[in-house]
Amino acid sequence: MSSAPVIGVAVLLVKGETMLLGRRRSSVGHNTYALPGGHLEFGESFEECAAREVKEETGLDIKDIQFVTVTNDVFSEAAKPLHLVAVFMRASLVDPDQLPQNIEPEKCYGWDWYDWKNLPQPLFQPLETMLKKGFSPFPTE
Ligand SMILES: Nc1ncnc2c1ncn2[C@H]1C[C@H](O)[C@@H](COP(=O)(O)OP(=O)(O)OP(=O)(O)O)O1
Ligand SMILES: [Mg+2]
């Protein structure tokens, strides 16, 4: 049986040459490194969802939230198959000195900043898909 596609919002939170990633503790993409993010709720804009999910998961306050790209992935081998449309938003910190907190430790092993050129593996599939499309948050590189 298949269910309707899910819309997720993923936030490329960029600080210098690094981005914020956490290792997932959720069933889909367990143990993979993912951006902060989650379900788009009824009536929300992508920008609102990005700010809310980052706040809920890390405590961080973000600004300059902009649409980047969208991915379309099917996790057919998952225990509960999932069709995920992920909307990628880029953002920066309101206060560059603010530290991420692991507010939902049951869903994430912890947040850290990773060098864009040396990302940890494995990455969550939508992020992998986005990178394969040739996207870079640091276009001057
Ligand atoms: N970084 C991400 N990249 C792509 N999709 C993501 C990302 N984070 C979450 N999603 C998608 C996949 C999930 O099916 C869905 C829900 O996110 P998930 O992190 O599993 O729960 P959540 O607790 O953050 O969201 P909610 O509270 O809305 O259930 O959103
Ligand atoms: Mg999440």
Side-chain angles (χ1 to χ4, degrees), residues 68-103:
V68 172
T69 191
V70 64
T71 58
N72 191 25
D73 284 285
V74 179
F75 298 79
S76 41
E77 282 117 70
K80 265 199 218 160
L82 170 71
H83 181 168
L84 173 62
V85 174
V87 177
F88 285 80
M89 305 296 284
R90 184 196 148 106
S92 54
L93 287 172
V94 171
D95 170 9
D97 295 327
Q98 199 185 356
L99 298 175
Q101 298 164 256
N102 194 16
I103 296 179

Side-chain angles (χ1 to χ4, degrees), residues 6 8-10 24 26 34-39 53 57 82 84 86 104 107 124 126:
V6 161
V9 170
R24 284 175 69 82
S26 321
L35 302 167
H39 290 115
E53 285 288 351
E57 297 183 349
L82 170 71
L84 173 62
E104 299 177 327
K107 292 184 184 171
F124 191 36

Side-chain angles (χ1 to χ4, degrees), residues 115-137:
D115 192 324
W116 170 246
K117 295 183 209 105
N118 192 19
L119 293 177
Q121 296 291 330
L123 295 172
F124 191 36
Q125 193 177 309
L127 182 56
E128 193 74 59
T129 301
M130 191 209 68
L131 295 172
K132 280 197 190 117
K133 285 168 66 164
F135 169 78
S136 162

Side-chain angles (χ1 to χ4, degrees), residues 26-87:
S26 321
S27 57
V28 178
H30 185 82
N31 271 333
T32 62
Y33 288 87
L35 302 167
H39 290 115
L40 184 69
E41 289 183 357
F42 186 94
E44 250 181 348
S45 69
F46 299 139
E47 290 81 3
E48 286 165 346
C49 181
R52 177 183 56 75
E53 285 288 351
V54 169
K55 189 72 183 171
E56 283 176 4
E57 297 183 349
T58 72
L60 296 170
D61 300 297
I62 61 172
K63 63 173 185 177
D64 304 331
I65 308 169
Q66 286 185 329
F67 172 77
V68 172
T69 191
V70 64
T71 58
N72 191 25
D73 284 285
V74 179
F75 298 79
S76 41
E77 282 117 70
K80 265 199 218 160
L82 170 71
H83 181 168
L84 173 62
V85 174
V87 177

